[in-house]
Amino acid sequence: MIKISNLEKIYRTEEVETVALNKLNIEVKEGEFVAIMGPSGCGKSTLLNILGLLDDPDAGSYLFNGIEVAHFNERKRAELRKHNIGFVFQSFNLIDELTVYENVELPLIYTGVKAADRKSRVEYVLDKMQIMHRRKHYPQQLSGGQQQRVAVARAVVNQPKLILADEPTGNLDSSNGNEVMQLLTDLNEQGTTIIMVTHSEHDAKFSHRIIRMLDGQTVMENFLA
């Protein structure tokens, strides 16, 4: 599904040049659950932004389902994102002024799904995430664990091929964190490819493979049973 070759990303200011990714090479097969680990500043979040087509590299190749996307323009990036990629963030990134139902419905509106189909798909995913009873509530009326359930529901409502998760349990206690990791595991078992950035060794053990990064490069890979 994903093949990254010699990927480079450098951030420059007038005084400092920071190499975020240094000729990085990574492959992820369809249906894998991959955890990316490493110290702060090693390039994990930069990589996730490029994988999610939120940023573009300075050099190198990024093949997504066999298509070179490294230097797509913003319109092409947005189109590919809408139909193929779901995001789960540490800070939930829900819209406070929208209800649970409306937050989850938003990606379907962006992709032009008709109202009747939107209703059935939103209700299906809310039921699946066991948050249907909160559909009329607003984010600030929910616990952290419930907010992350809504965020996962929003990420999967478009049935993306790939979910990118950035520290998905970072703001949760251990009980709610385990629930979210189980949700991601269930989605992966149903065929969704998941790439997760995490500092948590516990969370990483839910994956099939751990890629460890340092100074913008991969330094080790561990395959888990």
Side-chain angles (χ1 to χ4, degrees):
M1 173 182 266
I2 286 172
K3 185 175 182 180
I4 293 284
S5 304
N6 294 316
L7 208 67
E8 295 182 24
K9 184 68 178 181
I10 300 171
Y11 295 104
R12 294 180 175 90
T13 66
E14 290 183 3
E15 300 174 354
V16 180
E17 181 174 284
T18 303
V19 178
L21 299 178
N22 185 9
K23 298 188 182 302
L24 184 70
N25 296 286
I26 287 176
E27 287 193 47
V28 177
K29 294 184 176 68
E30 188 168 350
E32 270 198 290
F33 188 162
V34 176
I36 299 174
M37 302 192 74
S40 296
C42 73
K44 302 186 302 296
S45 293
T46 298
L47 173 60
L48 212 65
N49 285 339
I50 291 174
L51 290 175
L53 301 170
L54 300 172
D55 200 356
D56 55 350
D58 294 319
S61 170
Y62 172 16
L63 295 178
F64 187 92
N65 284 336
I67 299 169
E68 179 60 68
V69 300
H71 299 290
F72 266 18
N73 62 33
E74 180 50 40
R75 184 184 61 79
K76 284 186 173 181
R77 290 210 304 256
E79 195 63 24
L80 193 145
R81 268 198 312 269
K82 281 194 301 187
H83 296 284
N84 294 277
I85 302 172
F87 297 88
V88 180
F89 301 97
Q90 175 178 350
S91 56
F92 317 135
N93 282 19
L94 301 175
I95 299 173
D96 287 340
E97 293 76 23
L98 299 182
T99 64
V100 164
Y101 183 99
E102 291 165 340
N103 266 283
V104 176
E105 183 186 31
L106 206 55
L108 299 176
I109 294 173
Y110 287 149
T111 49
V113 176
K114 293 180 180 177
D117 193 18
R118 290 203 306 267
K119 184 174 187 293
S120 63
R121 285 169 67 172
V122 172
E123 289 180 350
Y124 171 78
V125 78
L126 289 176
D127 189 54
K128 189 175 177 182
M129 297 294 158
Q130 300 178 355
I131 202 78
M132 179 67 115
H133 62 296
R134 296 285 196 176
R135 65 189 180 280
K136 294 182 180 178
H137 287 70
Y138 291 89
Q140 60 268 30
Q141 296 174 306
L142 306 177
S143 69
Q146 288 170 334
Q147 288 187 61
Q148 195 61 297
R149 280 177 178 272
V150 177
V152 173
R154 182 186 56 190
V156 303
V157 73
N158 257 335
Q159 300 163 342
K161 298 179 177 70
L162 171 67
I163 288 181
L164 299 175
D166 191 0
E167 299 283 0
T169 68
N171 284 339
L172 303 176
D173 60 33
S174 58
S175 175
N176 283 313
N178 282 335
E179 282 188 19
V180 168
M181 290 310 304
Q182 192 57 56
L183 285 175
L184 293 176
T185 300
D186 292 346
L187 291 167
N188 176 246
E189 288 173 352
Q190 291 159 24
T192 306
T193 306
I194 296 176
I195 301 175
M196 173 182 70
V197 162
T198 182
H199 280 103
S200 167
E201 294 283 352
H202 173 268
D203 289 358
K205 289 175 182 174
F206 285 84
S207 70
H208 303 151
R209 176 163 58 112
I210 301 173
I211 297 173
R212 297 184 188 272
M213 291 182 63
L214 184 66
D215 297 334
Q217 298 177 310
T218 57
V219 292
M220 186 186 301
E221 290 192 36
N222 304 109
F223 289 85
L224 306 178

